[in-house]
Amino acid sequence: MTYSIIARDPDTGQMGVAVQTFNFATGTWVPWAEGGVGAVATQALADRRYGFMGLDLMRGGLAAEAALRALLADDDGRDFRQVSMLDRHGGIATHTGARCFPHAGSYQGATFCTQANMMARGTVWGAMAAAFEAARGDLAERILAAMDAAQAEGGDLRGQQTAALLIVDREPVRVPLVDIRVDHHPRPLDELRRMLRLHRAYSAEGAVAEVVAAGDLNAAQTLLDRIGALAPDEPYLQYLRALHLAAWLDAEAEALDILRGLIAARPVWREYLAREAAVDNFGVAGLGARLLAALDRRD
């Protein structure tokens, strides 16, 4: 019914899970991860208890193998389950029940595990492993390369519908670095990549204030250029980019060009800027009013 991958980056300590299936809203069932603890993929006849209880056990100090063994021992439906676990030290454990829909199986690598059931072909999980090992980039990119390879190999016998990607840090925090889900889409992996791109753009915008506060305006410019490249057609991000340019980088002309384009496409952005001017919500006194006045002069 599903193919997925759990993986750890030994250099950064980041851990992640990705999944794609024909079923609805797979992100609410299969992927589980917590920073500084571990990652879990529970699928086939999925049981969420493997997710939250597996993380509880690993948080308490059990290695992935011991945690999975304990949960399987107490599960009368173990023959219907496919579960893989990864702990913060890089330990991996995997189980494919004897009554999972064929083709079903898993591949355990040094830093990852791929698993799949109800596949069009019995080569899916091996193709995923090869793609992950050959891929370059950060953990998210390598995980998505494995997912693309699974689909190229035939994927779920029934087709495509939903996908999810979850990445957590090495630090013991419960807030993930990436948590994006596609609940219903004809090409969910393509949509997942688009959402990852937007996630990176919004993350860059969120970091601008921090680098400005540290006095690093070159880093601020780099982040704003990244937003422009990653999300040129995302209006809210471009609105915020314009305000950052005017507020911190003495680039009011560029900011006004962005705002005029947004307003020409949707006049609501002028109203939004007027409301910004009324309350100085951006945190820079008079910025909105100054930009509105400049827009009026150019008009």
PDB file of all heavy atoms in Angstrom, residues 263-297:
ATOM      1  N   ILE A 263       0.457  44.865  -6.618  1.00  0.00           N
ATOM      2  CA  ILE A 263      -0.787  45.638  -6.600  1.00  0.00           C
ATOM      3  C   ILE A 263      -1.464  45.605  -7.968  1.00  0.00           C
ATOM      4  O   ILE A 263      -2.700  45.540  -8.068  1.00  0.00           O
ATOM      5  CB  ILE A 263      -0.493  47.082  -6.142  1.00  0.00           C
ATOM      6  CG1 ILE A 263      -0.080  47.078  -4.664  1.00  0.00           C
ATOM      7  CG2 ILE A 263      -1.702  47.982  -6.361  1.00  0.00           C
ATOM      8  CD1 ILE A 263       0.554  48.360  -4.192  1.00  0.00           C
ATOM      9  N   ALA A 264      -0.665  45.621  -9.040  1.00  0.00           N
ATOM     10  CA  ALA A 264      -1.251  45.542 -10.377  1.00  0.00           C
ATOM     11  C   ALA A 264      -1.973  44.214 -10.581  1.00  0.00           C
ATOM     12  O   ALA A 264      -3.030  44.151 -11.224  1.00  0.00           O
ATOM     13  CB  ALA A 264      -0.155  45.715 -11.434  1.00  0.00           C
ATOM     14  N   ALA A 265      -1.412  43.158 -10.008  1.00  0.00           N
ATOM     15  CA  ALA A 265      -2.036  41.843 -10.146  1.00  0.00           C
ATOM     16  C   ALA A 265      -3.244  41.694  -9.239  1.00  0.00           C
ATOM     17  O   ALA A 265      -4.257  41.111  -9.638  1.00  0.00           O
ATOM     18  CB  ALA A 265      -1.011  40.748  -9.835  1.00  0.00           C
ATOM     19  N   ARG A 266      -3.126  42.242  -8.017  1.00  0.00           N
ATOM     20  CA  ARG A 266      -4.225  42.152  -7.040  1.00  0.00           C
ATOM     21  C   ARG A 266      -4.205  43.396  -6.163  1.00  0.00           C
ATOM     22  O   ARG A 266      -3.350  43.545  -5.276  1.00  0.00           O
ATOM     23  CB  ARG A 266      -4.071  40.915  -6.155  1.00  0.00           C
ATOM     24  CG  ARG A 266      -4.399  39.588  -6.822  1.00  0.00           C
ATOM     25  CD  ARG A 266      -4.521  38.486  -5.786  1.00  0.00           C
ATOM     26  NE  ARG A 266      -5.677  38.681  -4.930  1.00  0.00           N
ATOM     27  CZ  ARG A 266      -5.759  38.263  -3.660  1.00  0.00           C
ATOM     28  NH1 ARG A 266      -4.745  37.631  -3.091  1.00  0.00           N
ATOM     29  NH2 ARG A 266      -6.851  38.470  -2.950  1.00  0.00           N
ATOM     30  N   PRO A 267      -5.125  44.322  -6.385  1.00  0.00           N
ATOM     31  CA  PRO A 267      -5.138  45.574  -5.627  1.00  0.00           C
ATOM     32  C   PRO A 267      -5.216  45.393  -4.109  1.00  0.00           C
ATOM     33  O   PRO A 267      -4.899  46.322  -3.353  1.00  0.00           O
ATOM     34  CB  PRO A 267      -6.381  46.289  -6.164  1.00  0.00           C
ATOM     35  CG  PRO A 267      -6.549  45.750  -7.552  1.00  0.00           C
ATOM     36  CD  PRO A 267      -6.122  44.317  -7.466  1.00  0.00           C
ATOM     37  N   VAL A 268      -5.597  44.197  -3.654  1.00  0.00           N
ATOM     38  CA  VAL A 268      -5.696  43.964  -2.217  1.00  0.00           C
ATOM     39  C   VAL A 268      -4.360  44.202  -1.522  1.00  0.00           C
ATOM     40  O   VAL A 268      -4.329  44.544  -0.328  1.00  0.00           O
ATOM     41  CB  VAL A 268      -6.215  42.538  -1.928  1.00  0.00           C
ATOM     42  CG1 VAL A 268      -5.167  41.486  -2.309  1.00  0.00           C
ATOM     43  CG2 VAL A 268      -6.596  42.378  -0.465  1.00  0.00           C
ATOM     44  N   TRP A 269      -3.245  44.080  -2.248  1.00  0.00           N
ATOM     45  CA  TRP A 269      -1.951  44.284  -1.602  1.00  0.00           C
ATOM     46  C   TRP A 269      -1.720  45.743  -1.222  1.00  0.00           C
ATOM     47  O   TRP A 269      -1.003  46.041  -0.263  1.00  0.00           O
ATOM     48  CB  TRP A 269      -0.811  43.758  -2.488  1.00  0.00           C
ATOM     49  CG  TRP A 269      -0.840  42.260  -2.538  1.00  0.00           C
ATOM     50  CD1 TRP A 269      -1.199  41.471  -3.586  1.00  0.00           C
ATOM     51  CD2 TRP A 269      -0.555  41.381  -1.450  1.00  0.00           C
ATOM     52  NE1 TRP A 269      -1.159  40.143  -3.229  1.00  0.00           N
ATOM     53  CE2 TRP A 269      -0.755  40.062  -1.916  1.00  0.00           C
ATOM     54  CE3 TRP A 269      -0.143  41.560  -0.135  1.00  0.00           C
ATOM     55  CZ2 TRP A 269      -0.561  38.934  -1.115  1.00  0.00           C
ATOM     56  CZ3 TRP A 269       0.052  40.456   0.672  1.00  0.00           C
ATOM     57  CH2 TRP A 269      -0.150  39.164   0.188  1.00  0.00           C
ATOM     58  N   ARG A 270      -2.342  46.675  -1.925  1.00  0.00           N
ATOM     59  CA  ARG A 270      -2.264  48.080  -1.506  1.00  0.00           C
ATOM     60  C   ARG A 270      -3.032  48.273  -0.201  1.00  0.00           C
ATOM     61  O   ARG A 270      -2.568  48.974   0.713  1.00  0.00           O
ATOM     62  CB  ARG A 270      -2.826  48.988  -2.596  1.00  0.00           C
ATOM     63  CG  ARG A 270      -2.591  50.473  -2.302  1.00  0.00           C
ATOM     64  CD  ARG A 270      -3.234  51.361  -3.357  1.00  0.00           C
ATOM     65  NE  ARG A 270      -2.801  52.743  -3.186  1.00  0.00           N
ATOM     66  CZ  ARG A 270      -1.770  53.279  -3.784  1.00  0.00           C
ATOM     67  NH1 ARG A 270      -1.048  52.541  -4.627  1.00  0.00           N
ATOM     68  NH2 ARG A 270      -1.431  54.544  -3.567  1.00  0.00           N
ATOM     69  N   GLU A 271      -4.201  47.651  -0.111  1.00  0.00           N
ATOM     70  CA  GLU A 271      -4.972  47.723   1.132  1.00  0.00           C
ATOM     71  C   GLU A 271      -4.204  47.075   2.273  1.00  0.00           C
ATOM     72  O   GLU A 271      -4.208  47.561   3.404  1.00  0.00           O
ATOM     73  CB  GLU A 271      -6.327  47.052   0.941  1.00  0.00           C
ATOM     74  CG  GLU A 271      -7.164  46.897   2.214  1.00  0.00           C
ATOM     75  CD  GLU A 271      -7.558  48.224   2.843  1.00  0.00           C
ATOM     76  OE1 GLU A 271      -7.518  49.270   2.146  1.00  0.00           O
ATOM     77  OE2 GLU A 271      -7.890  48.221   4.051  1.00  0.00           O
ATOM     78  N   TYR A 272      -3.535  45.962   1.987  1.00  0.00           N
ATOM     79  CA  TYR A 272      -2.750  45.282   3.020  1.00  0.00           C
ATOM     80  C   TYR A 272      -1.627  46.191   3.513  1.00  0.00           C
ATOM     81  O   TYR A 272      -1.367  46.286   4.724  1.00  0.00           O
ATOM     82  CB  TYR A 272      -2.178  43.983   2.457  1.00  0.00           C
ATOM     83  CG  TYR A 272      -1.617  43.054   3.507  1.00  0.00           C
ATOM     84  CD1 TYR A 272      -2.434  42.150   4.168  1.00  0.00           C
ATOM     85  CD2 TYR A 272      -0.265  43.072   3.837  1.00  0.00           C
ATOM     86  CE1 TYR A 272      -1.929  41.284   5.136  1.00  0.00           C
ATOM     87  CE2 TYR A 272       0.247  42.212   4.805  1.00  0.00           C
ATOM     88  CZ  TYR A 272      -0.586  41.327   5.446  1.00  0.00           C
ATOM     89  OH  TYR A 272      -0.095  40.488   6.408  1.00  0.00           O
ATOM     90  N   LEU A 273      -0.966  46.878   2.581  1.00  0.00           N
ATOM     91  CA  LEU A 273       0.100  47.802   2.962  1.00  0.00           C
ATOM     92  C   LEU A 273      -0.460  48.968   3.772  1.00  0.00           C
ATOM     93  O   LEU A 273       0.175  49.435   4.733  1.00  0.00           O
ATOM     94  CB  LEU A 273       0.819  48.315   1.712  1.00  0.00           C
ATOM     95  CG  LEU A 273       2.006  49.258   1.946  1.00  0.00           C
ATOM     96  CD1 LEU A 273       3.090  48.581   2.768  1.00  0.00           C
ATOM     97  CD2 LEU A 273       2.567  49.736   0.606  1.00  0.00           C
ATOM     98  N   ALA A 274      -1.648  49.443   3.418  1.00  0.00           N
ATOM     99  CA  ALA A 274      -2.270  50.523   4.181  1.00  0.00           C
ATOM    100  C   ALA A 274      -2.563  50.086   5.618  1.00  0.00           C
ATOM    101  O   ALA A 274      -2.396  50.862   6.569  1.00  0.00           O
ATOM    102  CB  ALA A 274      -3.562  50.978   3.491  1.00  0.00           C
ATOM    103  N   ARG A 275      -2.980  48.860   5.788  1.00  0.00           N
ATOM    104  CA  ARG A 275      -3.234  48.363   7.142  1.00  0.00           C
ATOM    105  C   ARG A 275      -1.922  48.194   7.911  1.00  0.00           C
ATOM    106  O   ARG A 275      -1.871  48.425   9.118  1.00  0.00           O
ATOM    107  CB  ARG A 275      -4.007  47.051   7.081  1.00  0.00           C
ATOM    108  CG  ARG A 275      -5.391  47.227   6.462  1.00  0.00           C
ATOM    109  CD  ARG A 275      -6.229  45.979   6.569  1.00  0.00           C
ATOM    110  NE  ARG A 275      -7.488  46.132   5.852  1.00  0.00           N
ATOM    111  CZ  ARG A 275      -8.527  45.319   5.979  1.00  0.00           C
ATOM    112  NH1 ARG A 275      -8.450  44.276   6.805  1.00  0.00           N
ATOM    113  NH2 ARG A 275      -9.629  45.521   5.295  1.00  0.00           N
ATOM    114  N   GLU A 276      -0.860  47.790   7.192  1.00  0.00           N
ATOM    115  CA  GLU A 276       0.467  47.761   7.804  1.00  0.00           C
ATOM    116  C   GLU A 276       0.856  49.160   8.288  1.00  0.00           C
ATOM    117  O   GLU A 276       1.347  49.340   9.402  1.00  0.00           O
ATOM    118  CB  GLU A 276       1.491  47.252   6.784  1.00  0.00           C
ATOM    119  CG  GLU A 276       2.935  47.625   7.057  1.00  0.00           C
ATOM    120  CD  GLU A 276       3.490  47.011   8.311  1.00  0.00           C
ATOM    121  OE1 GLU A 276       3.144  45.860   8.604  1.00  0.00           O
ATOM    122  OE2 GLU A 276       4.256  47.693   9.017  1.00  0.00           O
ATOM    123  N   ALA A 277       0.620  50.144   7.441  1.00  0.00           N
ATOM    124  CA  ALA A 277       0.973  51.516   7.797  1.00  0.00           C
ATOM    125  C   ALA A 277       0.206  51.998   9.023  1.00  0.00           C
ATOM    126  O   ALA A 277       0.718  52.793   9.818  1.00  0.00           O
ATOM    127  CB  ALA A 277       0.700  52.440   6.608  1.00  0.00           C
ATOM    128  N   ALA A 278      -1.023  51.512   9.193  1.00  0.00           N
ATOM    129  CA  ALA A 278      -1.855  51.970  10.312  1.00  0.00           C
ATOM    130  C   ALA A 278      -1.349  51.479  11.656  1.00  0.00           C
ATOM    131  O   ALA A 278      -1.576  52.139  12.686  1.00  0.00           O
ATOM    132  CB  ALA A 278      -3.294  51.510  10.098  1.00  0.00           C
ATOM    133  N   VAL A 279      -0.652  50.336  11.683  1.00  0.00           N
ATOM    134  CA  VAL A 279      -0.256  49.753  12.979  1.00  0.00           C
ATOM    135  C   VAL A 279       1.244  49.479  13.078  1.00  0.00           C
ATOM    136  O   VAL A 279       1.717  49.027  14.126  1.00  0.00           O
ATOM    137  CB  VAL A 279      -1.031  48.432  13.247  1.00  0.00           C
ATOM    138  CG1 VAL A 279      -2.506  48.713  13.410  1.00  0.00           C
ATOM    139  CG2 VAL A 279      -0.792  47.405  12.138  1.00  0.00           C
ATOM    140  N   ASP A 280       2.009  49.750  12.028  1.00  0.00           N
ATOM    141  CA  ASP A 280       3.446  49.453  12.017  1.00  0.00           C
ATOM    142  C   ASP A 280       3.713  48.020  12.463  1.00  0.00           C
ATOM    143  O   ASP A 280       4.598  47.747  13.279  1.00  0.00           O
ATOM    144  CB  ASP A 280       4.214  50.444  12.905  1.00  0.00           C
ATOM    145  CG  ASP A 280       4.461  51.771  12.193  1.00  0.00           C
ATOM    146  OD1 ASP A 280       4.557  51.763  10.947  1.00  0.00           O
ATOM    147  OD2 ASP A 280       4.564  52.803  12.878  1.00  0.00           O
ATOM    148  N   ASN A 281       2.958  47.097  11.888  1.00  0.00           N
ATOM    149  CA  ASN A 281       3.068  45.696  12.282  1.00  0.00           C
ATOM    150  C   ASN A 281       4.424  45.094  11.946  1.00  0.00           C
ATOM    151  O   ASN A 281       4.886  44.164  12.603  1.00  0.00           O
ATOM    152  CB  ASN A 281       1.950  44.891  11.610  1.00  0.00           C
ATOM    153  CG  ASN A 281       1.954  43.428  11.982  1.00  0.00           C
ATOM    154  OD1 ASN A 281       2.463  42.593  11.251  1.00  0.00           O
ATOM    155  ND2 ASN A 281       1.384  43.117  13.137  1.00  0.00           N
ATOM    156  N   PHE A 282       5.104  45.622  10.940  1.00  0.00           N
ATOM    157  CA  PHE A 282       6.381  45.069  10.514  1.00  0.00           C
ATOM    158  C   PHE A 282       7.485  45.352  11.528  1.00  0.00           C
ATOM    159  O   PHE A 282       8.529  44.711  11.512  1.00  0.00           O
ATOM    160  CB  PHE A 282       6.760  45.648   9.148  1.00  0.00           C
ATOM    161  CG  PHE A 282       7.866  44.902   8.452  1.00  0.00           C
ATOM    162  CD1 PHE A 282       7.649  43.646   7.913  1.00  0.00           C
ATOM    163  CD2 PHE A 282       9.126  45.464   8.328  1.00  0.00           C
ATOM    164  CE1 PHE A 282       8.668  42.957   7.276  1.00  0.00           C
ATOM    165  CE2 PHE A 282      10.151  44.780   7.685  1.00  0.00           C
ATOM    166  CZ  PHE A 282       9.921  43.534   7.160  1.00  0.00           C
ATOM    167  N   GLY A 283       7.230  46.331  12.390  1.00  0.00           N
ATOM    168  CA  GLY A 283       8.211  46.616  13.436  1.00  0.00           C
ATOM    169  C   GLY A 283       9.160  47.756  13.119  1.00  0.00           C
ATOM    170  O   GLY A 283      10.092  48.017  13.875  1.00  0.00           O
ATOM    171  N   VAL A 284       8.952  48.415  11.993  1.00  0.00           N
ATOM    172  CA  VAL A 284       9.786  49.565  11.621  1.00  0.00           C
ATOM    173  C   VAL A 284       8.869  50.774  11.525  1.00  0.00           C
ATOM    174  O   VAL A 284       8.023  50.846  10.624  1.00  0.00           O
ATOM    175  CB  VAL A 284      10.509  49.324  10.284  1.00  0.00           C
ATOM    176  CG1 VAL A 284      11.330  50.540   9.888  1.00  0.00           C
ATOM    177  CG2 VAL A 284      11.391  48.090  10.374  1.00  0.00           C
ATOM    178  N   ALA A 285       9.013  51.698  12.433  1.00  0.00           N
ATOM    179  CA  ALA A 285       8.098  52.839  12.517  1.00  0.00           C
ATOM    180  C   ALA A 285       8.060  53.610  11.201  1.00  0.00           C
ATOM    181  O   ALA A 285       9.095  53.997  10.659  1.00  0.00           O
ATOM    182  CB  ALA A 285       8.522  53.761  13.657  1.00  0.00           C
ATOM    183  N   GLY A 286       6.848  53.797  10.690  1.00  0.00           N
ATOM    184  CA  GLY A 286       6.635  54.617   9.505  1.00  0.00           C
ATOM    185  C   GLY A 286       6.957  53.951   8.176  1.00  0.00           C
ATOM    186  O   GLY A 286       6.806  54.584   7.124  1.00  0.00           O
ATOM    187  N   LEU A 287       7.373  52.684   8.187  1.00  0.00           N
ATOM    188  CA  LEU A 287       7.770  52.045   6.930  1.00  0.00           C
ATOM    189  C   LEU A 287       6.606  51.952   5.957  1.00  0.00           C
ATOM    190  O   LEU A 287       6.724  52.324   4.784  1.00  0.00           O
ATOM    191  CB  LEU A 287       8.333  50.649   7.204  1.00  0.00           C
ATOM    192  CG  LEU A 287       8.692  49.825   5.962  1.00  0.00           C
ATOM    193  CD1 LEU A 287       9.819  50.494   5.170  1.00  0.00           C
ATOM    194  CD2 LEU A 287       9.078  48.395   6.346  1.00  0.00           C
ATOM    195  N   GLY A 288       5.470  51.460   6.421  1.00  0.00           N
ATOM    196  CA  GLY A 288       4.324  51.314   5.535  1.00  0.00           C
ATOM    197  C   GLY A 288       3.854  52.634   4.971  1.00  0.00           C
ATOM    198  O   GLY A 288       3.569  52.749   3.769  1.00  0.00           O
ATOM    199  N   ALA A 289       3.795  53.643   5.814  1.00  0.00           N
ATOM    200  CA  ALA A 289       3.356  54.970   5.361  1.00  0.00           C
ATOM    201  C   ALA A 289       4.335  55.532   4.331  1.00  0.00           C
ATOM    202  O   ALA A 289       3.927  56.149   3.336  1.00  0.00           O
ATOM    203  CB  ALA A 289       3.235  55.905   6.556  1.00  0.00           C
ATOM    204  N   ARG A 290       5.630  55.331   4.558  1.00  0.00           N
ATOM    205  CA  ARG A 290       6.634  55.830   3.617  1.00  0.00           C
ATOM    206  C   ARG A 290       6.501  55.163   2.259  1.00  0.00           C
ATOM    207  O   ARG A 290       6.585  55.817   1.211  1.00  0.00           O
ATOM    208  CB  ARG A 290       8.025  55.580   4.191  1.00  0.00           C
ATOM    209  CG  ARG A 290       9.139  56.229   3.383  1.00  0.00           C
ATOM    210  CD  ARG A 290      10.481  56.086   4.070  1.00  0.00           C
ATOM    211  NE  ARG A 290      11.140  54.828   3.741  1.00  0.00           N
ATOM    212  CZ  ARG A 290      11.517  53.934   4.622  1.00  0.00           C
ATOM    213  NH1 ARG A 290      11.269  54.127   5.920  1.00  0.00           N
ATOM    214  NH2 ARG A 290      12.140  52.836   4.229  1.00  0.00           N
ATOM    215  N   LEU A 291       6.264  53.850   2.257  1.00  0.00           N
ATOM    216  CA  LEU A 291       6.113  53.131   0.996  1.00  0.00           C
ATOM    217  C   LEU A 291       4.834  53.524   0.278  1.00  0.00           C
ATOM    218  O   LEU A 291       4.815  53.664  -0.949  1.00  0.00           O
ATOM    219  CB  LEU A 291       6.160  51.625   1.247  1.00  0.00           C
ATOM    220  CG  LEU A 291       7.524  51.078   1.677  1.00  0.00           C
ATOM    221  CD1 LEU A 291       7.416  49.615   2.106  1.00  0.00           C
ATOM    222  CD2 LEU A 291       8.557  51.234   0.566  1.00  0.00           C
ATOM    223  N   LEU A 292       3.759  53.718   1.031  1.00  0.00           N
ATOM    224  CA  LEU A 292       2.511  54.170   0.408  1.00  0.00           C
ATOM    225  C   LEU A 292       2.684  55.530  -0.242  1.00  0.00           C
ATOM    226  O   LEU A 292       2.223  55.768  -1.368  1.00  0.00           O
ATOM    227  CB  LEU A 292       1.402  54.235   1.456  1.00  0.00           C
ATOM    228  CG  LEU A 292       0.657  52.936   1.771  1.00  0.00           C
ATOM    229  CD1 LEU A 292      -0.320  53.165   2.912  1.00  0.00           C
ATOM    230  CD2 LEU A 292      -0.070  52.397   0.537  1.00  0.00           C
ATOM    231  N   ALA A 293       3.351  56.431   0.465  1.00  0.00           N
ATOM    232  CA  ALA A 293       3.579  57.767  -0.089  1.00  0.00           C
ATOM    233  C   ALA A 293       4.426  57.697  -1.354  1.00  0.00           C
ATOM    234  O   ALA A 293       4.155  58.407  -2.341  1.00  0.00           O
ATOM    235  CB  ALA A 293       4.252  58.652   0.954  1.00  0.00           C
ATOM    236  N   ALA A 294       5.425  56.849  -1.352  1.00  0.00           N
ATOM    237  CA  ALA A 294       6.277  56.704  -2.532  1.00  0.00           C
ATOM    238  C   ALA A 294       5.498  56.114  -3.699  1.00  0.00           C
ATOM    239  O   ALA A 294       5.677  56.517  -4.857  1.00  0.00           O
ATOM    240  CB  ALA A 294       7.480  55.831  -2.197  1.00  0.00           C
ATOM    241  N   LEU A 295       4.616  55.157  -3.406  1.00  0.00           N
ATOM    242  CA  LEU A 295       3.772  54.598  -4.455  1.00  0.00           C
ATOM    243  C   LEU A 295       2.875  55.669  -5.047  1.00  0.00           C
ATOM    244  O   LEU A 295       2.667  55.737  -6.270  1.00  0.00           O
ATOM    245  CB  LEU A 295       2.927  53.452  -3.901  1.00  0.00           C
ATOM    246  CG  LEU A 295       3.651  52.125  -3.638  1.00  0.00           C
ATOM    247  CD1 LEU A 295       2.759  51.184  -2.838  1.00  0.00           C
ATOM    248  CD2 LEU A 295       4.102  51.468  -4.939  1.00  0.00           C
ATOM    249  N   ASP A 296       2.326  56.550  -4.227  1.00  0.00           N
ATOM    250  CA  ASP A 296       1.459  57.616  -4.700  1.00  0.00           C
ATOM    251  C   ASP A 296       2.234  58.591  -5.576  1.00  0.00           C
ATOM    252  O   ASP A 296       1.729  59.063  -6.607  1.00  0.00           O
ATOM    253  CB  ASP A 296       0.850  58.363  -3.513  1.00  0.00           C
ATOM    254  CG  ASP A 296      -0.212  57.529  -2.794  1.00  0.00           C
ATOM    255  OD1 ASP A 296      -0.728  56.584  -3.417  1.00  0.00           O
ATOM    256  OD2 ASP A 296      -0.491  57.814  -1.621  1.00  0.00           O
ATOM    257  N   ARG A 297       3.470  58.883  -5.220  1.00  0.00           N
ATOM    258  CA  ARG A 297       4.284  59.799  -6.011  1.00  0.00           C
ATOM    259  C   ARG A 297       4.570  59.209  -7.389  1.00  0.00           C
ATOM    260  O   ARG A 297       4.512  59.896  -8.400  1.00  0.00           O
ATOM    261  CB  ARG A 297       5.601  60.111  -5.311  1.00  0.00           C
ATOM    262  CG  ARG A 297       5.459  61.049  -4.106  1.00  0.00           C
ATOM    263  CD  ARG A 297       6.816  61.598  -3.688  1.00  0.00           C
ATOM    264  NE  ARG A 297       7.736  60.567  -3.290  1.00  0.00           N
ATOM    265  CZ  ARG A 297       7.815  60.063  -2.050  1.00  0.00           C
ATOM    266  NH1 ARG A 297       6.995  60.520  -1.097  1.00  0.00           N
ATOM    267  NH2 ARG A 297       8.702  59.121  -1.756  1.00  0.00           N
TER     268      ARG A 297
END
